[in-house]
């Protein structure tokens, strides 16, 4: 199930323009290998958000082959990016791609379980060794979004944005009949609970956008979100 009408999606994809030819080539390669990367509509929405926000420090949960981190680096020319990845193979591919784009100085890849790595970043932030992030992008294990959110909050600067991808899970979060064999019922339940959790959180303003496979965009008003 696609959350967009296929005719509308084809039209919007036709309006898509890659940021650079090099990124277009990497997108084609990832899509050919069936590597999960941000959809074209998602990329366009993120480009607008990033250009409006102009973040100096970006945190990403879920590196995959490094496409989105490289996209962030292009759109925000002076930003620093920290990206977390659990898979050995994915991290190896990402490291090679980042090196091919000569972005090693701006993109820091951290290998391991995201929750443990977020705890490490929290220690760095609390000690003053690292400045808070202005922008965070979550695109990893969907059933862990609430845990990621809670760990990311202490790392965010007031006014920062947290963006979570795939929150509609191909429409199943809105209507479980799109999962007739109930294969994804646990993920659906957890994603619904997560969306309800962040939209009700005090100190954060959250918008759910039906772009790509669904995005939540949360503006963090301070460090006392609850």
């Amino acid at each position: 199930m696609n959350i967009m009408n296929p005719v509308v999606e084809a039209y919007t994809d036709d309006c898509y323009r890659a940021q650079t030819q090099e990124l277009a080539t990497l997108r084609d390669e990832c899509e050919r290998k069936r590597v999960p990367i941000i959809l074209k509509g998602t990329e366009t929405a993120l480009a607008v958000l990033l250009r409006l926000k102009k973040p100096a420090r970006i945190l990403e949960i879920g590196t995959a082959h490094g496409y989105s981190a490289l996209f962030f680096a292009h759109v925000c020319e002076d930003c620093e990016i920290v990206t977390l990845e659990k898979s050995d193979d994915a991290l190896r591919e990402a490291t090679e791609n980042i090196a091919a784009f000569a972005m090693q100085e701006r993109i820091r890849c951290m290998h391991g379980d995201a929750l443990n790595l977020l705890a490490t970043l929290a220690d760095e932030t609390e000690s003053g060794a690292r400045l808070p992030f202005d922008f965070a992008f979550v695109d990893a294990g969907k059933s862990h979004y609430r845990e990621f959110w809670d760990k990311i909050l202490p790392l965010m600067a007031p006014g920062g944005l947290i963006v979570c991808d795939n929150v509609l899970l191909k429409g199943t979060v809105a209507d479980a009949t799109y999962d007739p064999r109930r294969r994804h019922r646990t993920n659906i339940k957890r994603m619904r609970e997560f969306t309800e959790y962040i939209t009700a959180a005090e100190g954060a303003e959250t918008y759910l956008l039906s772009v790509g496979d669904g995005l939540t965009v949360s503006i963090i008003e301070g460090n006392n979100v609850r």
Side-chain angles (χ1 to χ4, degrees), residues 4 9 15 21 26 37 41 52 57 88 92 95 102 106 112 114 142 148 159 164 184 195-196 198 200-201 214 222 226:
M4 290 184 67
E9 183 182 36
C15 294
Q21 183 54 52
L26 181 56
I37 63 171
L52 287 171
R57 289 166 295 280
D88 295 347
R92 183 170 54 254
T95 302
R106 293 181 53 206
K142 311 311 173 189
F148 294 149
C164 301
H184 307 290
T195 304
E196 292 170 4
I198 64 173
R226 61 185 189 279

Side-chain angles (χ1 to χ4, degrees), residues 69-118:
L70 289 164
F71 160 73
F72 297 151
H74 175 78
V75 175
C76 306
E77 295 182 357
D78 299 319
C79 74
E80 168 198 352
I81 299 156
V82 176
T83 181
L84 316 183
E85 178 56 54
K86 185 175 183 179
S87 165
D88 295 347
D89 292 340
L91 191 72
R92 183 170 54 254
E93 291 282 351
T95 302
E96 291 176 1
N97 288 331
I98 290 166
F101 279 71
M103 287 290 182
Q104 307 96 311
E105 297 300 316
R106 293 181 53 206
I107 302 175
R108 174 188 175 190
C109 294
M110 297 181 68
H111 181 214
D113 181 83
L115 295 175
N116 294 333
L117 296 176
L118 288 169

Side-chain angles (χ1 to χ4, degrees), residues 100-166:
F101 279 71
M103 287 290 182
Q104 307 96 311
E105 297 300 316
R106 293 181 53 206
I107 302 175
R108 174 188 175 190
C109 294
M110 297 181 68
H111 181 214
D113 181 83
L115 295 175
N116 294 333
L117 296 176
L118 288 169
T120 299
L121 290 172
D123 290 341
E124 293 179 4
T125 304
E126 186 176 354
S127 70
R130 168 172 296 283
L131 291 172
F133 292 96
D134 310 298
F135 190 99
F137 182 62
V138 182
D139 188 15
K142 311 311 173 189
S143 63
H144 298 292
Y145 270 25
R146 177 167 175 172
E147 296 168 277
F148 294 149
W149 169 275
D150 287 341
K151 293 283 189 180
I152 290 169
L153 279 177
L155 306 177
M156 299 301 296
L161 298 183
I162 301 178
V163 179
C164 301
D165 197 12
N166 305 115

Side-chain angles (χ1 to χ4, degrees), residues 16-31 37-38 43 51 65-75 97 101 103 107:
Y16 166 83
R17 296 293 179 269
Q19 298 291 322
T20 67
Q21 183 54 52
E22 291 78 12
L23 281 172
T25 300
L26 181 56
R27 171 178 279 282
D28 289 344
E29 178 184 329
C30 289
E31 290 177 348
I37 63 171
I38 51 176
E43 180 179 321
R51 289 197 165 95
H65 284 198
Y67 178 85
S68 49
L70 289 164
F71 160 73
F72 297 151
H74 175 78
V75 175
N97 288 331
F101 279 71
M103 287 290 182
I107 302 175

Side-chain angles (χ1 to χ4, degrees), residues 29-46:
E29 178 184 329
C30 289
E31 290 177 348
R32 186 173 64 254
K33 294 180 178 178
R34 298 185 181 276
V35 176
I37 63 171
I38 51 176
L39 297 174
K40 291 177 179 177
T42 302
E43 180 179 321
T44 301
L46 287 171

